[in-house]
Amino acid sequence: MNPEKDFAPLTPNIVRALNDKLYEKRKVAALEIEKLVRDFVAQNNTMQIKHVIQTLSQEFALSQHPHSRKGGLIGLAACSIALGKDSGLYLKELIEPVLTCFNDADSRLRYYACEALYNIVKVARGAVLPHFNVLFDGLSKLAADPDPNVKSGSELLDRLLKDIVTESSKFDLVGFIPLLRERIYSNNQYARQFIISWILVLVSVPDINLLDYLPEILDGLFQILGDNGKEIRKMCEVVLGEFLKEIKKNPSSVKFAEMANILVIHCQTTDDLIQLTAMCWMREFIQLAGRVMLPYSSGILTAVLPCLAYDDRKKSIKEVANVCNQSLMKLVTPEDDEPDEPKPVAQKQTEPNPEDSLPKQEGTATGGPGGSCDSSFGSGINVFTSASTDRAPVTLHLDGIVQVLNCHLSDTTIGMMTRIAVLKWLYHLYIKTPRKMFRHTDSLFPILLQTLSDESDEVVLKDLEVLAEIASSPAGQTDDPGAPDGPDFRVNHSELQVPTSGRANLLNPPSTKGLECSPSTPTMNSYFYKFMINLLQTFSSERKLLEARGPFIIRQLCLLLNAENIFHSMADILLREEDLKFASTMVHTLNTILLTSTELFQLRNQLKDLKTLESQNLFCCLYRSWCHNPVTTVSLCFLTQNYRHAYDLIQKFGDLEVTVDFLTEVDKLVQLIECPIFTYLRLQLLDVKNNPYLIKALYGLLMLLPQSSAFQLLSHRLQCVPNPELLQTDRSQDGSSGSFSRAEIYRHAFPSRLGEFRETKPKCETFAQQKSLERGAPGMKKTV
């Protein structure tokens, strides 16, 4: 510093003392400056006061010499003390050079800057609030200072500033929020602690409504919640808890839509505390905001569904996620199934884009487990897109929701509970919004069929419920359900339609082949037949699935849908099956289910009596397909009490190749005859006169069997038949009864077959060839 330079009104002694390296001498100079400024205040000499402040600022506080800067800082503090209440007129000139020294490399100088600013703020009090942002910015930097003395000094200044803000009603919150939003993303733990402490102060001030600006800082708060420091995490939990209390008290003033996406992101983080807290917030948002959250359903489901598969280590998160899932599901109502047409509103309102509320900083959490279902699904639909807010009518858009559900259901790594929840969602949507959902059925159908192979029975049950709803919903009735895929199932368009009446004229069948085999219950829609076709295709391509789950799946479908429809349609489809081995296996499976399942008790009774046209029609349809398997055909005749025809069929067995599999099936049939299902058949053995062909048929089975346990079982049964001499009954007698004789049924439904059976010698060498000629089926040219 040039000693010859004029620093008036500062005397040379003051200038020299300000530049001294000793603090005591600088302090003496400060006292002289204070006295000098007091005189100027008394004289109301503002020019000299400004000149003194400017000199201390430019020539000392901003000097290159460190001791001069120290002297300038203490001199500025002395000026503020001397000005007293009038210091507010000169605050800008007093504060700016001090704040500049906050960035000095010398820690001692930074400490003196804190000291000087403390004195300036202490004198000015509320007058410093217009300069709050620059003070806050400077303090936020000092909060992370490595020097403990500087940090201690900044804490004193921080407390003083908080007291001033608390007692003042002129705090500019609007001007402060941008700075707070910027500083809240600091990674320094001391800076984070400083930010959290200030938010706590602002929340506690009644005149400051920080809730209105919560969307600006919520993401930053969740970032701080993941800090490694326990104290900081605890402080942040307290802040978030205070905000949540305020939200519950004043839900009408909360901007739920602007914060929804922020919660969605943090619900997917790997930090347990952040995820649990965000999930709790999400639960409250759904319950408080209601349908306002519907436009964000796809994002919420992306975050919530994976949590449902958590184990007991994350039990709390799982429970809260389950509440969120159930609450969100309840928001979907039948009114959401209305067409997506724009509705007139009284006043046009601006609809914000939920993407605007997404944080812009790096390091946000993405995706579900394994990255298989991320938040944006690659280049697909953005699951966070919304077209509605709480101020406009909320419209449910299913595209994003269905995409999320499809993604989670197709991910094999997803846990069982998540898959069950996905299926519950699909079922719920098909119940509440069927018209909208059927637009997505073609894309969902393959994955729903694939899910039938799931290891969990509960998953398969829920999957079947969804498929059954698709097949039976009135919304699925279309004029053109589409042609089935694959060359094996080419069905005429007319066969996919539900007839207006199931009572076809059995004795005079229509000329269009196959109509009598179409589903006959009007509750089934056009997707039902398609479902049956695809299910059989799945069984054909996955034989292990058929063996392990086939009976279970079909029995459950019989409970969920109409059992007669299921057997009617499957028999009709199998009639055109070219893979004879699969057709035989499938028929055997269906026959076993028909004869043994408690779910089909009513259907068995209908077939046993054959009193109605519907039951007779069903029998004719089943018989055609049951011919793929000789033994099952006989068992069907036993079930329907067509004993004479059963005897005729057994007579034809001599023309077949008797294999181990064939004998095994005969063995199983004998076992079935001894079951409660055929109690009526065994009782009919007592009436030898009216049931001669039943006895002959059983003897025929006995002759087919080798000396085995089944042979002994059937032999013992036949030994109990009374008066065996009556077995010589004339062939013309028949024990059948009903509204139509069974001879009439065969004469009109299968005229060629009845004629064949009455021939002394068969016209065909094999049973398969015989069946092919009798029903004219193009696919039965091979030998069984």
Side-chain angles (χ1 to χ4, degrees):
M1 179 177 293
N2 187 0
E4 298 180 358
K5 191 173 181 180
D6 183 16
F7 293 100
L10 299 180
T11 65
N13 290 335
I14 294 176
V15 172
R16 191 165 43 253
L18 287 176
N19 288 309
D20 200 280
K21 65 179 180 179
L22 296 177
Y23 173 76
E24 289 77 9
K25 291 186 178 182
R26 296 196 299 272
K27 185 175 181 181
V28 171
L31 292 174
E32 291 295 327
I33 293 172
E34 182 181 345
K35 182 181 178 181
L36 181 64
V37 173
R38 286 184 189 276
D39 293 339
F40 290 147
V41 172
Q43 299 168 10
N44 198 21
N45 192 343
T46 58
M47 291 295 295
Q48 288 295 348
I49 295 174
K50 288 183 178 180
H51 188 59
V52 171
I53 295 175
Q54 184 177 7
T55 301
L56 290 172
S57 175
Q58 299 296 327
E59 302 299 333
F60 289 89
L62 300 179
S63 172
Q64 297 296 322
H65 196 276
H67 298 309
S68 298
R69 295 201 293 275
K70 295 173 184 177
L73 290 171
I74 198 171
L76 290 171
C79 289
S80 177
I81 294 171
L83 288 168
K85 295 181 179 180
D86 294 335
S87 62
L89 301 173
Y90 309 95
L91 276 179
K92 183 178 181 181
E93 292 80 5
L94 290 170
I95 291 175
E96 286 184 353
V98 178
L99 291 174
T100 302
C101 293
F102 278 6
N103 299 318
D104 198 282
D106 187 355
S107 61
R108 292 292 299 171
L109 200 141
R110 296 197 301 274
Y111 175 78
Y112 288 134
C114 282
E115 185 181 42
L117 189 58
Y118 179 87
N119 290 322
I120 294 172
V121 173
K122 187 176 182 180
V123 172
R125 301 298 292 183
V128 301
L129 289 180
H131 307 277
F132 178 81
N133 279 10
V134 293
L135 294 174
F136 183 88
D137 184 52
L139 278 175
S140 66
K141 296 175 182 177
L142 290 185
D145 198 285
D147 188 273
N149 292 324
V150 177
K151 193 180 299 180
S152 176
S154 69
E155 289 174 357
L156 289 174
L157 177 58
D158 179 55
R159 284 198 292 270
L160 174 61
L161 201 56
K162 286 174 181 174
D163 291 339
I164 294 172
V165 171
T166 303
E167 66 188 21
S168 174
S169 60
K170 299 180 180 180
F171 182 71
D172 184 12
L173 184 60
V174 177
F176 172 61
I177 288 299
L179 179 62
L180 179 62
R181 184 177 59 230
E182 177 188 348
R183 288 286 182 263
I184 204 170
Y185 288 113
S186 173
N187 292 323
N188 185 279
Q189 60 177 351
Y190 297 107
R192 285 180 164 182
Q193 191 171 3
F194 171 78
I195 294 293
I196 290 295
S197 66
W198 265 102
I199 294 175
L200 272 173
V201 170
L202 295 176
V203 170
S204 65
V205 178
D207 294 335
I208 298 177
N209 186 12
L210 194 57
L211 192 60
D212 288 343
Y213 303 94
L214 182 56
E216 304 285 336
I217 60 174
L218 182 61
D219 179 68
L221 287 174
F222 275 104
Q223 296 279 350
I224 295 176
L225 189 60
D227 194 272
N228 294 327
K230 292 183 179 180
E231 183 178 354
I232 297 176
R233 291 167 75 102
K234 187 63 178 178
M235 289 177 63
C236 193
E237 278 190 87
V238 173
V239 170
L240 288 169
E242 290 297 323
F243 275 123
L244 197 55
K245 288 180 183 178
E246 290 298 319
I247 289 173
K248 292 179 181 179
K249 290 179 183 178
N250 307 291
S252 59
S253 61
V254 179
K255 301 175 182 177
F256 292 103
E258 296 182 22
M259 294 183 282
N261 286 323
I262 298 174
L263 296 181
V264 165
I265 289 176
H266 291 290
C267 282
Q268 300 176 71
T269 185
T270 56
D271 187 287
D272 289 352
L273 179 59
I274 296 177
Q275 190 176 29
L276 177 59
T277 306
M279 200 68 72
C280 290
W281 275 61
M282 183 68 76
R283 176 191 61 195
E284 299 300 330
F285 272 36
I286 295 173
Q287 294 176 352
L288 294 172
R291 289 180 60 83
V292 173
M293 302 298 290
L294 270 183
Y296 305 90
S297 298
S298 52
I300 296 172
L301 289 175
T302 302
V304 168
L305 288 175
C307 300
L308 301 178
Y310 285 171
D311 54 23
D312 290 340
R313 290 174 296 179
K314 295 185 177 183
K315 184 178 180 181
S316 300
I317 300 175
K318 179 180 179 179
E319 291 176 350
V320 179
N322 187 53
V323 175
C324 290
N325 183 56
Q326 297 297 328
S327 300
L328 185 64
M329 189 179 294
K330 291 177 182 178
L331 297 180
V332 181
T333 62
E335 287 73 19
D336 292 311
D337 201 28
E338 296 174 357
D340 293 332
E341 296 176 359
K343 297 181 179 179
V345 292
Q347 181 180 0
K348 186 176 181 180
Q349 297 169 326
T350 305
E351 297 179 351
N353 188 344
E355 293 183 353
D356 296 340
S357 63
L358 287 173
K360 299 299 188 291
Q361 81 285 358
E362 297 178 358
T364 55
T366 58
S372 59
C373 295
D374 60 22
S375 300
S376 59
F377 291 97
S379 59
I381 299 172
N382 190 330
V383 298
F384 303 129
T385 300
S386 166
S388 305
T389 67
D390 54 338
R391 296 178 299 173
V394 177
T395 302
L396 180 66
H397 297 284
L398 292 183
D399 290 350
I401 296 176
V402 172
Q403 186 176 3
V404 172
L405 297 176
N406 201 341
C407 175
H408 282 83
L409 193 59
S410 59
D411 186 357
T412 56
T413 63
I414 292 294
M416 180 190 72
M417 297 308 298
T418 297
R419 297 168 73 81
I420 291 174
V422 170
L423 292 167
K424 285 182 178 179
W425 259 101
L426 289 173
Y427 182 78
H428 183 73
L429 291 174
Y430 272 110
I431 292 292
K432 300 296 183 181
T433 59
R435 290 194 296 273
K436 285 186 177 180
M437 278 302 295
F438 268 96
R439 303 171 191 168
H440 304 277
T441 298
D442 289 340
S443 62
L444 288 170
F445 221 77
I447 186 61
L448 288 172
L449 288 170
Q450 182 182 342
T451 307
L452 292 175
S453 304
D454 196 275
E455 297 178 355
S456 168
D457 287 347
E458 194 172 352
V459 172
V460 175
L461 280 174
K462 292 298 178 184
D463 189 39
L464 289 172
E465 287 183 14
V466 178
L467 288 167
E469 181 60 28
I470 293 174
S472 60
S473 174
Q477 185 60 52
T478 59
D479 293 334
D480 186 10
D485 297 330
D488 296 338
F489 301 109
R490 295 189 180 93
V491 185
N492 292 333
H493 175 75
S494 61
E495 292 178 273
L496 296 179
Q497 305 306 305
V498 179
T500 56
S501 174
R503 296 181 176 272
N505 188 345
L506 179 67
L507 301 182
N508 296 285
S511 58
T512 305
K513 185 181 185 302
L515 259 181
E516 69 276 16
C517 296
S518 298
S520 58
T521 302
T523 56
M524 300 298 112
N525 61 31
S526 52
Y527 277 92
F528 172 80
Y529 209 68
K530 183 178 181 181
F531 173 35
M532 294 295 105
I533 291 173
N534 282 275
L535 181 61
L536 289 176
Q537 284 180 331
T538 303
F539 285 153
S540 178
S541 59
E542 299 181 33
R543 298 298 173 87
K544 291 183 178 179
L545 174 64
L546 175 60
E547 295 174 6
R549 287 284 179 79
F552 171 74
I553 290 172
I554 295 172
R555 287 196 342 259
Q556 293 302 320
L557 284 176
C558 289
L559 289 175
L560 296 168
L561 297 170
N562 181 275
E564 180 181 347
N565 261 19
I566 292 172
F567 274 81
H568 213 304
S569 58
M570 284 191 171
D572 188 28
I573 297 167
L574 289 172
L575 193 63
R576 297 158 177 81
E577 175 61 61
E578 295 180 357
D579 185 348
L580 299 184
K581 184 177 181 180
F582 167 69
S584 176
T585 303
M586 193 67 222
V587 164
H588 177 73
T589 302
L590 290 172
N591 186 69
T592 302
I593 296 170
L594 177 63
L595 295 179
T596 61
S597 298
T598 56
E599 296 87 352
L600 299 178
F601 175 77
Q602 184 177 359
L603 185 62
R604 284 196 297 271
N605 283 343
Q606 293 176 13
L607 289 172
K608 182 176 70 175
D609 297 332
L610 291 180
K611 291 181 179 179
T612 64
L613 291 175
E614 289 85 350
S615 61
Q616 295 165 6
N617 205 7
L618 175 63
F619 168 73
C620 294
C621 182
L622 294 180
Y623 183 89
R624 289 191 177 96
S625 290
W626 260 231
C627 286
H628 282 296
N629 189 304
V631 179
T632 58
T633 310
V634 171
S635 65
L636 180 63
C637 291
F638 281 158
L639 175 65
T640 56
Q641 303 183 64
N642 286 290
Y643 302 135
R644 178 171 180 172
H645 190 63
Y647 170 71
D648 290 337
L649 289 178
I650 293 172
Q651 291 294 99
K652 300 290 184 181
F653 285 0
D655 299 331
L656 301 178
E657 180 183 359
V658 178
T659 63
V660 174
D661 292 338
F662 177 84
L663 292 176
T664 301
E665 290 189 24
V666 175
D667 187 294
K668 291 179 180 179
L669 177 57
V670 172
Q671 302 293 336
L672 281 173
I673 292 173
E674 294 297 321
C675 291
I677 297 169
F678 282 112
T679 300
Y680 68 91
L681 181 146
R682 299 195 299 273
L683 289 174
Q684 288 175 351
L685 292 175
L686 298 174
D687 188 3
V688 178
K689 181 178 180 181
N690 293 321
N691 298 288
Y693 288 101
L694 169 59
I695 299 174
K696 287 185 177 182
L698 293 178
Y699 269 107
L701 292 178
L702 187 67
M703 296 302 105
L704 288 172
L705 287 170
Q707 298 287 331
S708 61
S709 58
F711 177 89
Q712 298 296 330
L713 187 65
L714 184 57
S715 176
H716 290 161
R717 173 65 63 184
L718 290 173
Q719 289 174 10
C720 298
V721 175
N723 199 358
E725 295 180 358
L726 297 178
L727 293 178
Q728 304 300 323
T729 306
D730 185 74
R731 183 183 178 93
S732 61
Q733 297 182 17
D734 194 335
S736 61
S737 62
S739 56
F740 298 98
S741 68
R742 283 172 172 77
E744 286 181 299
I745 295 176
Y746 285 105
R747 187 180 306 115
H748 292 280
F750 313 106
S752 60
R753 181 177 299 281
L754 193 60
E756 295 290 344
F757 286 146
R758 290 180 175 175
E759 292 290 338
T760 304
K761 296 182 180 180
K763 292 183 179 181
C764 303
E765 295 182 357
T766 67
F767 188 74
Q769 290 173 339
Q770 177 71 33
K771 291 187 293 179
S772 178
L773 289 177
E774 290 166 355
R775 62 184 175 84
M780 299 302 299
K781 296 180 181 179
K782 302 177 184 178
T783 302
V784 176

